[in-house]
Structure formats: C-alpha cells, structure tokens
Amino acid sequence: MADKLLEEIPSLDLADFRSGDPERKARFVQQLGEAYQNIGFVALKNHGLSEEQTQALYADVKAFFSLPDERKQRYEYPELAGQRGYISKGKEHAKGRNTGDLKEFYHVGQEVEDTDDPIGKEYPANIWPEEVPTFQKSTFTTYRTLEAAGKDVLRAIALYLNLPENYFDDKVRNGNSILRPIHYFPIENPDAVPADAVRAAEHGDINLITLLMGASADGLQVKRRDDKWIPITALPDQIVVNVGDMLQRLTNGVLKSTIHRVVNPPREKMNSSRFSVPFFMHPRSEMSLAALESCVTPDNPKKEADITAGEFLNERLIELGLKKK
C-alpha cells in the first residue's frame, strides 16, 4: 500500500488497538503505519468522544464565535504569540505566504496537574470567555479525550517503527498540545477579500500528530505524491488523524506529513460558516527530534539537523506570523 496512489484516506477503528486482542491490535498497527507511509492521514472511529460531548463542544464554540468582534478581542493577548485565547481574523498565514487565512480561532492548552513537573512553568494559563460559562468544561473534556486517543495512536506508531510501545509516553506527558476550535467565518462580499485569500492555505502541521474533529464539511483536501488534491471526508463518528512535521522529522521522512488545505466553498456558499476543531499533539519542549537511527539507512540518508521540539516550534511560530523574531 505504501506505493499505491489512494483516492481516499483509509478508515481505521481505534477499538481494534484497544481491544486486548493481539491479532486485531497488530492489524491496526500495520494498517496505520502503511497509511502514514503513504498519505499521512487516516479517518478514525471509536476515538472516545461521545455524541453528547461533541454536541456540547460545538454549541459552546458557536456561541463564542457568534459574539461581536470587540467582545472576542478581549480574550486576545498578542504577547502570548497565539498560545492561549482568541486569535482574530486573518492573523495566521501559511508558511511562505503573507495573505492571512480566512479564519479566526481559539487556543486551549495543557493544564499541568502534577505540581512536581517543572514544565508547568513553561505554559501560560488558559483564558476562559466569561460570556460562555460552559466553554471551559466542554473544550477541556474534549482536550483530555483527544489527548488519550493521541497517546494510543503514538503507541501504535511506536510499534510500527519497532520501538517500545511506550516510547512516546514520557515525551508527551504534559506535552505542549493545543486544542484549536476554528471558525471559517462567512464572507458576505467575496470581492472584498484578497484574490488569493483562502480558508487555510496549503500547509503541513507542526506537531507530532493532529486529531481533527469536523473534517467532513466540504473544503479539506490533501495533496497526494503525484500532486493531485483529493478531498478528505470522514463520517460523523470519525475524526481525521494525520502526521505532523515533528514526526516526519523524527522518522527521517519515513512517515509523511502531507500538505493539506481548506479551500473556499463555491462563491454562492461563501456567506456560510464552517467549524472544525483540531487537537495538535505536541511533545514536551525538550524532546529531541533527531532522526531515529532505525530510519537512517544508505537508501534514506539523514535529511535534517538535530533540533528539539521547543526550538522547532519557535521557528515555525515566527514563520506563521504568530510570533515576532
């Protein structure tokens, strides 16, 4: 499968990995690894989020983004470089572009509950909008559920790479992960925005893996090896889970962080909202992203210099326009 050009991303069931059945677990590991070597994306069901949790989250996200801009901007703190709170319309752009994306979003970050872990001092406190009193509960319940699913996906990746199953566990414990509810806001007059402005320009994600809710709405596309863009679709009970640049770097390109984008809808539908909620799974800042020895071979020589996750993230935040040099 690694060489086959796919017309859609593979669908997997996390219950297979969590089943306790060695055969089902091994099959999941193999299928996940092959998908990540090929196209870098899978659709995943039985991820732990209930329909009730999902409905509560979307209700709160929609309530926040429906507030007037001046109310939302009370929760925007530029000095945090977009790490927490609200990030207003057009602030973020893809690497290598200057035109801002047609979106606004909110960042919820790690809460370090064990006081003996010094990494807690690295993270700013979360910012909670008082206008939506249930926002804290619904977003953070989602954060913990997706974090747990992400840990299992990383365990499967470790097994596929012939590493100990718990290889990533200590590296992502209290990691710098971010939940990002996104609002692709309505465009009432398409002629009033820059001609090259899109909802999310083509990009690769920074982190180890991304777990994305709300990928089923039209617009999300992934770029195959032959440069053809194919739509990413997920059933209502699935999330989309993809490889990020950190994992690609760690595996020396064996696992693929595939370029993807969110294109604008047809002109007559640009006046409608689109919501999605990615969970960007980051390790602790001190994790080394130096290529794994097993992924460096005569046929696949080492591609990138050694760097830590924290250094890499800092570089990328500057490139995305969220942080000043």
Side-chain angles (χ1 to χ4, degrees):
M1 185 181 119
D3 297 325
K4 184 181 174 186
L5 290 171
L6 302 177
E7 291 299 327
E8 58 185 27
I9 65 171
S11 291
L12 298 180
D13 186 346
L14 190 58
D16 289 339
F17 185 78
R18 292 172 163 175
S19 66
D21 178 333
E23 196 173 312
R24 285 176 66 188
K25 185 174 179 178
R27 186 171 67 244
F28 179 90
V29 167
Q30 187 64 26
Q31 290 174 338
L32 181 75
E34 288 177 357
Y36 281 172
Q37 277 201 267
N38 183 316
I39 200 161
F41 276 77
V42 296
L44 190 69
K45 70 176 182 178
N46 288 317
H47 37 72
L49 274 176
S50 68
E51 180 64 19
E52 185 182 13
Q53 280 178 277
T54 302
Q55 297 284 4
L57 174 73
Y58 276 105
D60 288 343
V61 166
K62 290 174 181 177
F64 175 77
F65 286 120
S66 68
L67 294 171
D69 285 352
E70 61 269 19
R71 297 296 293 275
K72 290 180 287 194
Q73 285 163 358
R74 291 169 54 191
Y75 303 103
E76 184 165 30
Y77 293 81
E79 67 273 16
L80 296 181
Q83 290 180 82
R84 300 289 185 275
Y86 177 64
I87 295 87
S88 53
K89 297 169 181 173
K91 282 284 173 69
E92 186 181 67
H93 57 77
K95 179 181 173 182
R97 283 173 60 96
N98 293 316
T99 304
D101 288 342
L102 301 176
K103 67 187 182 197
E104 57 181 338
F105 51 96
Y106 205 97
H107 274 171
V108 176
Q110 185 66 266
E111 299 268 0
V112 179
E113 286 151 11
D114 42 335
T115 53
D116 60 338
D117 189 343
I119 202 150
K121 297 185 177 65
E122 289 186 22
Y123 304 146
N126 275 309
I127 298 163
W128 305 114
E130 61 186 37
E131 291 88 348
V132 189
T134 49
F135 187 92
Q136 177 175 357
K137 182 183 178 187
S138 63
T139 57
F140 209 72
T141 300
T142 303
Y143 187 107
R144 285 289 185 237
T145 304
L146 292 176
E147 185 177 46
K151 286 176 179 176
D152 275 342
V153 171
L154 287 171
R155 288 172 185 136
I157 289 168
L159 290 171
Y160 184 74
L161 295 170
N162 295 314
L163 297 167
E165 183 173 340
N166 64 353
Y167 177 82
F168 289 101
D169 285 13
D170 63 333
K171 297 170 180 61
V172 296
R173 186 179 69 86
N174 292 329
N176 193 17
S177 299
I178 292 281
L179 186 79
R180 174 191 277 193
I182 303 174
H183 178 215
Y184 299 101
F185 50 84
I187 305 295
E188 301 299 338
N189 178 10
D191 295 327
V193 298
D196 63 340
V198 292
R199 285 183 158 177
E202 55 187 80
H203 65 283
D205 292 341
I206 301 171
N207 38 289
L208 288 171
I209 56 173
T210 301
L211 298 91
L212 173 67
M213 302 171 64
S216 52
D218 291 345
L220 184 60
Q221 300 177 339
V222 62
K223 193 176 190 179
R224 283 194 328 201
R225 288 192 311 281
D226 62 351
D227 291 339
K228 179 182 176 182
W229 290 96
I230 62 170
I232 297 177
T233 53
L235 297 171
D237 64 343
Q238 294 176 324
I239 60 174
V240 168
V241 187
N242 63 280
V243 174
D245 292 349
M246 288 184 182
L247 187 57
Q248 176 175 272
R249 191 166 181 139
L250 182 73
T251 62
N252 200 37
V254 171
L255 304 185
K256 305 291 189 284
S257 175
T258 309
I259 298 296
H260 51 286
R261 66 186 181 185
V262 182
V263 297
N264 294 338
R267 190 180 174 91
E268 65 275 11
K269 292 185 179 177
M270 282 190 76
N271 62 350
S272 59
S273 285
R274 180 180 188 271
F275 297 92
S276 69
V277 186
F279 178 76
F280 299 119
M281 192 147 192
H282 282 263
R284 300 167 69 92
S285 57
E286 71 266 19
M287 179 186 177
S288 171
L289 300 180
L292 295 165
E293 286 183 20
S294 61
C295 295
V296 179
T297 65
D299 292 333
N300 188 34
K302 187 173 176 179
K303 295 177 173 65
E304 304 272 10
D306 296 353
I307 196 170
T308 67
E311 290 164 344
F312 184 68
L313 175 61
N314 193 57
E315 277 183 12
R316 292 296 295 273
L317 289 176
I318 292 167
E319 290 168 350
L320 296 179
L322 290 175
K323 191 170 187 176
K324 300 280 188 279
K325 283 188 182 178

